[in-house]
Amino acid sequence: MMKMDWKKGLLLPDARVRESMKTIGQLENIFLNEEARRALDQNTVVYRVQAWCPVPDGTEGAQFWGTTEIAQGQVDSEYFMTHGHFHLKRNRTEYYGTTEGEGALILMDETRRTWMEPMFPGSLHFIPPSVAHRVANSGKVPLRLVACWPSDAGHDYDAVRRFGFGARLLSVHGKPSLVRSET
Ligand code: F6R
Ligand code: ZN
């Protein structure tokens, strides 16, 4: 058994919880304006992840549970967001549920068609097979979500690192807008 703070969407401290984070310095070439990213404090935390993986990675038939907290902030006009990934096993799906904050789940299929779903407390999202996913925080407080995915899904970060998503969530005249990428 594990304990959650369901309001916040955080797992309570427990030795079985894996904790990780990504800083501005670790997100090279992820944001549109790389010069602006380099000019920021490289130690700024963009997001933190907790994961409860009760079986070994790659086990068929089980599920993992995680939470993600994306800080409020921007790199130039682009909102702080997660790296984003496809699942290594492309037919593995996932649920995201928002507990706190506002933002967008950005989704992209293998043809690079990109769309978004608004995230707000109580929003529940199904990530279909073969769809890359990332979350951007366009609100004024940390955006928190819970996630559940198959333990044999795996993560393919490479395609996103190399080609990005087909669109980005930018602040345009102060409003979050999904802006198509040129490539
Ligand atoms: C798991 C999943 C989430 C993300 C987390 C961080 O399949 O989608 O738990 O891993 O939100 O994002 P990434 O992994 O893109 O750095
Ligand atoms: Zn995932």
Side-chain angles (χ1 to χ4, degrees):
M1 191 184 85
M2 193 66 72
K3 281 191 186 164
M4 281 277 301
D5 177 336
W6 281 101
K7 266 199 154 162
K8 285 202 168 83
L10 290 172
L11 286 161
L12 299 186
D14 188 295
R16 294 166 295 173
V17 176
R18 288 187 204 163
E19 310 256 5
S20 61
M21 63 179 180
K22 280 274 185 292
T23 61
I24 279 287
Q26 293 171 311
L27 292 168
E28 201 177 353
N29 293 320
I30 292 301
F31 293 94
L32 180 61
N33 189 338
E34 180 58 13
E35 205 176 312
R37 185 200 62 86
R38 263 189 265 116
L40 294 174
D41 177 352
Q42 300 299 289
N43 296 319
T44 301
V45 175
V46 178
Y47 62 99
R48 295 176 190 278
V49 180
Q50 297 181 310
W52 178 25
C53 306
V55 298
D57 263 319
T59 304
E60 212 178 296
Q63 284 164 18
F64 290 158
W65 181 265
T67 76
T68 303
E69 174 186 300
I70 301 127
Q72 196 271 331
Q74 284 179 216
V75 177
D76 192 8
S77 63
E78 191 166 17
Y79 298 102
F80 277 9
M81 62 181 177
T82 58
H83 184 293
H85 57 266
F86 285 97
H87 290 153
L88 216 46
K89 285 196 178 160
R90 289 290 196 271
N91 67 358
R92 298 308 197 253
T93 58
E94 183 164 5
Y95 284 106
Y96 278 3
T98 313
T99 53
E100 283 193 317
E102 311 279 336
L105 170 60
I106 306 170
L107 300 159
M108 176 179 72
D109 69 16
E110 290 193 296
T111 70
R112 298 186 55 72
R113 188 175 70 86
T114 303
W115 67 102
M116 58 158 272
E117 290 180 7
M119 296 181 83
F120 50 87
S123 70
L124 181 60
H125 309 266
F126 175 68
I127 299 163
S130 302
V131 169
H133 39 289
R134 83 162 22 138
V135 173
N137 179 357
S138 56
K140 304 230 176 309
V141 295
L143 171 58
R144 295 198 174 105
L145 61 109
V146 297
C148 185
W149 68 99
S151 44
D152 65 347
H155 293 97
D156 174 5
Y157 291 100
D158 201 49
V160 170
R161 192 177 307 119
R162 290 166 65 195
F163 307 113
F165 277 58
R168 296 174 174 278
L169 196 72
L170 305 180
S171 167
V172 180
H173 306 302
K175 280 204 173 150
S177 315
L178 194 69
V179 177
R180 305 281 145 202
S181 306
E182 272 156 34
T183 48

